[in-house]
Amino acid sequence: MSQILLAKPVIKAEINKLKLKCQEYLDNGITPFLKVLLVGDHPASLIYTRNKKKFCEKIGAQCEILTLDSRTSEEDFMEVVEGLNADKSVHGFLIQLPLPKQLSHIDTTNLVNAYKDVDGFHSDNISKLYRGSTRENLLAPCTPKGIMTLLDFYNIEVEGKSAVVIGRSLIVGKPMALMLTNRNATVTLAHSKTKNLESLCQNADIIITACGSPKMFTQNYFKNDQSQVVIDVGISRQEDGSLSGDCDFENIKDSVKAITPVPGGVGPMTIFTVAQNLLHALDNYPED
Ligand code: NAD
């Protein structure tokens, strides 16, 4: 029988650790505080930011979404970012992407102070990952870090396995490949120019799809012998309004060993990890 790798049981099992840690801070008079900077009203961003706020509040932390007008100038935007970096009451801070057109040229990677960087995008944090840190409280990008939590929960062995990651973005694919490498998997990082993607996937133990091409991964990409683990990161809105992953879930779910659904798989793990990173940020928060 194939296993559906739902996020819900993982979060149910892990959330108490976050609540307890949060409570320790509250008992010491510190309220873990996440500030989310949202510019404009991009529909998906509104949902993501609301979910982040809701989850932080669920563990007892505080989260405020600071919404700026979609026409905000670069100067005003940068002033707000500087203010949030300097604000000692803010322990975690993230800039919700995408930014509107007039700000989209800004490289946001290093805008948030490394020690508040709950998204794990800052070069200092990425460099720790690059150097091979497997420290649990590393501020690492939330989606791949959440996937590692999910794999561990379901006792999916990574060491010695061959993994293919499809998609080489800075927020998912590349850090995912690093995390799997750090955990001793043998990793192939595939992308839009990769040749023979079907056979690469057919020969892997773990396949992580993160390219945003709905239902692209059909049975042709798999061994269909219930031996492979598939993690579907993609989220695309279909014409009928429903969400689809990169995998043709209905047609492959019975022929793989395990697979994450969309929605209900990787997405909630990303949100969970934002809250987890907020507490990790506080653990390493610099003293005055
Ligand atoms: P992106 O959109 O920045 O880049 C897509 C990547 O996929 C590129 O590296 C490209 O080379 C590769 N690619 C595109 N078409 C391909 C093809 N036909 N064959 C092989 N490779 C191909 O990537 P992203 O920001 O990592 O987003 C990827 C998907 O994951 C999107 O659907 C996004 O919505 C989703 N996503 C989900 C979560 C979550 O929490 N579940 C988080 C982030 C992104």
Side-chain angles (χ1 to χ4, degrees):
M1 257 270 285
S2 303
Q3 189 176 22
I4 306 300
L5 305 171
L6 292 163
K8 220 173 185 173
V10 191
I11 293 171
K12 196 172 170 213
E14 296 288 325
I15 196 169
N16 268 346
K17 285 186 210 158
L18 300 192
K19 283 182 178 170
L20 285 173
K21 203 166 185 194
C22 193
Q23 192 56 50
E24 275 176 33
Y25 279 111
L26 292 169
D27 291 345
N28 285 312
I30 299 165
T31 304
F33 186 17
L34 174 68
K35 206 89 173 210
V36 176
L37 179 55
L38 173 66
V39 189
D41 55 2
H42 188 273
S45 295
L46 287 174
I47 298 171
Y48 293 143
T49 51
R50 258 185 237 137
N51 287 345
K52 286 169 191 172
K53 181 174 161 67
K54 217 163 119 189
F55 196 85
C56 283
E57 288 170 352
K58 211 166 167 177
I59 65 158
Q62 190 185 345
C63 175
E64 195 179 303
I65 303 166
L66 176 57
T67 308
L68 302 181
D69 189 272
S70 59
R71 293 157 299 178
T72 301
S73 69
E74 182 169 353
E75 200 186 343
D76 290 347
F77 171 75
M78 294 304 280
E79 203 179 306
V80 172
V81 169
E82 276 165 33
L84 290 174
N85 276 331
D87 187 341
K88 289 273 176 199
S89 72
V90 174
H91 310 109
F93 160 32
L94 67 88
I95 300 167
Q96 187 66 43
L97 300 175
L99 290 171
K101 211 172 165 202
Q102 79 281 8
L103 304 177
S104 60
H105 64 281
I106 300 173
D107 179 2
T108 55
T109 319
N110 289 335
L111 281 192
V112 174
N113 275 351
Y115 60 85
K116 296 190 181 192
D117 173 36
V118 291
D119 264 337
F121 295 163
H122 195 285
S123 315
D124 290 358
N125 292 319
I126 288 296
S127 122
K128 286 181 192 148
L129 190 62
Y130 185 77
R131 281 183 274 127
S133 176
T134 51
R135 272 175 55 224
E136 197 221 321
N137 66 357
L138 183 75
L139 289 181
C142 296
T143 301
K145 188 173 168 181
I147 291 171
M148 296 311 293
T149 307
L150 182 123
L151 291 172
D152 288 342
F153 175 83
Y154 285 105
N155 291 317
I156 294 168
E157 186 61 75
V158 168
E159 181 160 318
K161 301 290 180 192
S162 63
V164 177
V165 178
I166 303 111
R168 57 179 163 185
S169 72
L170 293 179
I171 61 168
V172 185
K174 280 186 184 168
M176 186 77 251
L178 285 172
M179 282 179 208
L180 290 166
T181 306
N182 292 346
R183 292 277 296 272
N184 300 321
T186 304
V187 183
T188 303
L189 182 55
H191 46 77
S192 54
K193 302 280 185 264
T194 298
K195 305 239 187 298
N196 304 324
L197 187 55
E198 284 187 12
S199 78
L200 282 175
C201 291
Q202 283 161 9
N203 288 307
D205 300 310
I206 300 170
I207 298 113
I208 302 194
T209 61
C211 59
S213 300
K215 299 193 178 161
M216 168 178 162
F217 293 86
T218 55
Q219 281 185 331
N220 298 347
Y221 285 80
F222 303 98
K223 271 187 206 157
N224 301 309
D225 63 354
Q226 292 199 328
S227 67
Q228 297 175 293
V229 174
V230 182
I231 306 293
D232 191 351
V233 183
I235 308 178
S236 305
R237 178 90 42 202
Q238 309 263 77
E239 272 179 18
D240 65 2
S242 65
L243 294 177
S244 168
D246 289 342
C247 294
D248 184 7
F249 182 82
E250 282 309 320
N251 289 312
I252 63 172
K253 68 177 187 337
D254 295 326
S255 49
V256 296
K257 183 178 176 192
I259 182 167
T260 55
V262 178
V266 174
M269 292 310 302
T270 301
I271 305 288
F272 168 87
T273 311
V274 172
Q276 189 184 44
N277 274 352
L278 170 65
L279 297 175
H280 291 331
L282 247 172
D283 289 344
N284 300 311
Y285 204 69
E287 311 241 324
D288 274 331

